[in-house]
Amino acid sequence: MMKPLSRDALARMVALHLPNEGFVNLGIGAPTQVADYLPSGSGVMLHSENGVLNVGPKPPEGQEDWDLINAGKMPISLKRGGSYFDSSLSFAMMRGGHLDVAVLGAFQVSREGDLANWTTGDNGSPPGIGGAIDLAVGAKSIWVMMDHTTRDGRPRIVERCGYPLTARKVVTRIFTNLAILDVTDNGLVVDALLEDMRVAELQALTEAPLLALGKVRTIKQDGAVLA
Amino acid sequence: MMKPLSRDALARMVALHLPNEGFVNLGIGAPTQVADYLPSGSGVMLHSENGVLNVGPKPPEGQEDWDLINAGKMPISLKRGGSYFDSSLSFAMMRGGHLDVAVLGAFQVSREGDLANWTTGDNGSPPGIGGAIDLAVGAKSIWVMMDHTTRDGRPRIVERCGYPLTARKVVTRIFTNLAILDVTDNGLVVDALLEDMRVAELQALTEAPLLALGKVRTIKQDGAVLA
Amino acid sequence: MRNVIVRDAGAAVEGIKDGHTVMVGGFGGAGLPKGVITAVLDKGVRDLVVISNNAGSSDDDLSLWFSAKIVRKIICSYPRSAQQFAEQYRAGTVELELVPQGTLVERIRAGGAGLGGFLSPVGVGTVFADGKEKVTVQGHEFLLELPLHADFTFIKGHLADSLGNITYNKSARNHCVVMATAGDTVAVEVDRIVEVGELDPENIVTPCVFVDRVFTRNL
Amino acid sequence: MRNVIVRDAGAAVEGIKDGHTVMVGGFGGAGLPKGVITAVLDKGVRDLVVISNNAGSSDDDLSLWFSAKIVRKIICSYPRSAQQFAEQYRAGTVELELVPQGTLVERIRAGGAGLGGFLSPVGVGTVFADGKEKVTVQGHEFLLELPLHADFTFIKGHLADSLGNITYNKSARNHCVVMATAGDTVAVEVDRIVEVGELDPENIVTPCVFVDRVFTRNL
């Protein structure tokens, strides 16, 4: 069997699925990397919760402006046609359903699309919620991007989330290093699977039951997906 | 007895009482005229509900810009240091208590400071409320400016308003063509009275009881007030 | 690249249907997208619910919609000096929902910002409290006001680029800025269209994410 | 004419008292008024309630206030990478009210705009719903969120005039713009002070009515 997708390949796979000319928010952490793989000419406009629309790439070293950062507090640039605004307008965009897709990391996703991505409830460390919860409630489509299992091999796609919820029934699509799943009223449908992997193998790594209704597309090692 | 103050003299009297460097909204109708009598150097900044701060005088004929109007939809100008903003921020200023004084017209004011200034309930004509009610609730001080009685001599300063209310217990000061009254917890206190007029004469034109506790100041025909 | 520029006002109102809710920007004539007034008439739609500050007072504004009897209901704050509306109102052929101006704007903002409503101190103890839920918070009484949203929003901007970024002219911002956030389809009439990149990112008032169509008027 | 310029950060925080509620702008370092951090420390106040997006993560931000143990409670959305805060938090010497970021901003806006609260869909069905009133409107469940207000607001702007009109730099607007509306005393640290009239009235983000004090940092 092929190796699971690398972080880069997973980011590329997500990037290739974003709708042309869509307004997209990339969550902090791994989703931020999706920006590096947007096809030129896709026209995707990236939103940053701290008040930036049409986010551009990281500036060259030495040219960082620490008044121009993303939600992960890293320096960014602004593309032509971009704009700045305050947080109240930024969250109105998010909560008000004005963004097409939010790509979020997650600890767990349930069969019904419940999302747990803000805390594992570990004691001691102060928890942080930030803006992920506003996105999860407001964006038209919520995509999760994560490893299919935990480091020690336990499923992250579960019947019911064990970790504290971010939002109920919001995730519409799950991109993992093994597969792409659609969250439907009937359950989790396998849209694409790593080349050479079988649905039964994926099921063994997934707590929630999977459906393979139609043709399952093939994920190549570089994150490209073949029909 | 002296004649009641003219419209101009009443506007002047109000203008002379506005706090230096205060942020002030002048309601549509007669209050708008107060702007013409602000002492130079008063530093008063006028707010217009449709999104203008630091309103200047009417522009010369032929130089009107119909994108720059006041709440009465008449052309204005902008003073140096003025700004434009949208209605949501404008009403946040009003309702949020950021304006020092709103000067409003009224049909009736009650002893407790209830304000009736949006409709006489006449049948047939569609009613209009506009932004007066937001000001009445939000500005730090609500001043009413009106004739002391109706055209046919009935009191406008009453025990209880007969007309539909704009807001309860909000008016702090009443400027009329005969007197200045303060709305206090003890009742209506006569602060100033037209020269040669007696409190008893004013009371005869006023339904709510008047108090003349301290020294009553003297209103001159031109709207100046002497201690 | 995204390009939201459409040919004319007719294209800007394409898709409007009988019974739609329509927001129209403007305070008096400032911010009023006059080009769409006749374009909507030309579509032959009726039974519209209109959300706007005023109800028209001249021969190139909402008065035309009342004359043509295509409005079933108007939600507005100040329908004075509105002769055509007043005639329909007296005849009982149009419904009026009178809303204090600040509450009107805030309800539109709530609609655009995904809020379920808000608590306002405005209208407590008046006829504007009739039929509304009262909520007491920390000893103060408020009215629960509900969001407004529209099928179409028509507003007037000053400059636009082809992405749909908008600036406004002076006091013409008024209700347009929040209305731009609260329509399923948002069409903006502007004075001039500029190249992408010409608008200073600091000075764009309505970011393009809110805007679906932009047009200039054929004068 | 109104002139809100004060000498330095010390003058900008004058009047702050034990137990005060203080809003501090910024998302990370952008929009953070660094000059007031030490100025507040110098006043020797304690038991502050702080409202800010973060809880400090370097040696020139809110971390200093936690090190000095002058904060009783923080209301924020993302107190991660905040070592000094985390130590106090683990020791139980500081209280945390964790608020989703959009809800935090909206609560501040409500405080500045004179609203009694708002209904938010954010947090329904999660621990963020605990202890909050649930309100169902048209079949949807919302949480009633209450306004936030402060005794002092400290934010960072870019340019200011002596009247108190403010612009911001790029993404440094963040929470500063709403915080400017919600403090009894609003003090703004800016990069530069310009003449009245130099700021384009179309591009002023915070009109002077909200601003009480302006200062530039002695660098």
Side-chain angles (χ1 to χ4, degrees), chain B residues 21 23 43 45 53-54 78 80-85 88-89 91-93 95-96 98-99, chain D residues 1-3 109 112-115 161 163 165 181 196-197 201-202 204-205 207-210:
Chain B
E21 303 184 5
F23 292 97
M45 276 186 260
L53 191 63
N54 221 0
L78 189 77
R80 282 165 70 89
S83 54
Y84 305 117
F85 35 87
S88 69
L89 189 62
F91 282 86
M93 281 181 201
R95 195 182 40 229
H98 302 281
L99 299 181
Chain D
M1 199 161 67
R2 177 180 163 91
N3 185 340
R109 182 182 178 278
L115 301 176
D161 63 25
L163 293 174
N165 290 303
T181 69
V196 172
E202 299 279 9
I204 290 168
V205 178
C208 61
V209 67
F210 295 113

Side-chain angles (χ1 to χ4, degrees), chain A residues 35-95:
Chain A
D36 299 336
Y37 295 95
L38 285 172
S40 69
S42 74
V44 165
M45 276 186 260
L46 297 177
H47 169 265
S48 188
E49 70 188 26
N50 52 321
V52 184
L53 192 62
N54 220 2
V55 171
K58 197 173 82 167
E61 209 174 309
Q63 293 179 41
E64 297 90 352
D65 178 344
W66 290 95
D67 277 348
L68 180 47
I69 58 176
N70 64 16
K73 306 192 177 77
M74 298 308 293
I76 54 173
S77 60
L78 189 75
K79 289 190 180 173
R80 282 166 71 89
S83 53
Y84 305 117
F85 35 88
D86 83 294
S87 302
S88 69
L89 190 60
S90 189
F91 281 86
M93 281 182 201
M94 293 161 69
R95 197 181 39 229

Side-chain angles (χ1 to χ4, degrees), chain B residues 11-12 14-20 22 24 26 32-46 54-55 79:
Chain B
R12 182 159 182 260
V14 173
L16 295 174
H17 283 79
L18 287 172
N20 278 345
V24 174
L26 302 175
T32 304
Q33 216 177 333
V34 171
D36 300 336
Y37 295 95
L38 286 171
S40 70
S42 74
V44 165
M45 276 186 260
L46 297 177
N54 221 0
V55 171
K79 289 191 182 173

Side-chain angles (χ1 to χ4, degrees), chain A residues 47-53 83-95, chain B residues 86 88-89, chain C residues 109 177 201-202 204-205 207 210, chain D residues 27 101-102 105-106 108-109 168-181 205-206:
Chain A
H47 169 265
S48 188
E49 70 188 26
N50 52 321
V52 184
L53 192 62
S83 53
Y84 305 117
F85 35 88
D86 83 294
S87 302
S88 69
L89 190 60
S90 189
F91 281 86
M93 281 182 201
M94 293 161 69
R95 197 181 39 229
Chain B
D86 84 293
S88 69
L89 189 62
Chain C
R109 182 182 179 277
V177 179
E202 298 279 8
I204 289 168
V205 178
F210 295 112
Chain D
F27 185 95
Q101 191 179 166
V105 175
E106 197 67 20
I108 297 167
R109 182 182 178 278
Y168 300 85
N169 189 37
K170 304 188 178 73
S171 70
R173 290 191 193 194
N174 53 65
H175 302 60
C176 296
V177 179
V178 287
M179 284 182 172
T181 69
V205 178
T206 294

Side-chain angles (χ1 to χ4, degrees), chain B residues 111 157-159 187-189 203 206-211:
Chain B
R111 170 154 66 151
I157 300 167
V158 293
E159 274 294 327
L188 297 172
V189 175
Q203 181 67 73
T206 311
E207 183 186 303
L210 300 175
L211 301 168

Side-chain angles (χ1 to χ4, degrees), chain D residues 131-206:
Chain D
K132 288 178 189 160
E133 191 175 335
K134 282 83 178 170
V135 180
T136 298
V137 176
Q138 294 160 352
H140 295 276
E141 191 177 335
F142 297 96
L143 305 180
L144 175 60
E145 297 284 356
L146 301 182
L148 290 172
H149 205 274
D151 297 297
F152 276 84
T153 288
F154 301 125
I155 58 174
K156 171 72 166 47
H158 179 45
L159 304 179
D161 63 25
S162 58
L163 293 174
N165 290 303
I166 308 291
T167 69
Y168 300 85
N169 189 37
K170 304 188 178 73
S171 70
R173 290 191 193 194
N174 53 65
H175 302 60
C176 296
V177 179
V178 287
M179 284 182 172
T181 69
D184 285 343
T185 300
V186 175
V188 189
E189 176 179 321
V190 296
D191 295 319
R192 195 155 56 85
I193 291 166
V194 302
E195 293 296 313
V196 172
E198 270 191 61
L199 299 177
D200 184 333
E202 299 279 9
N203 303 339
I204 290 168
V205 178
T206 294

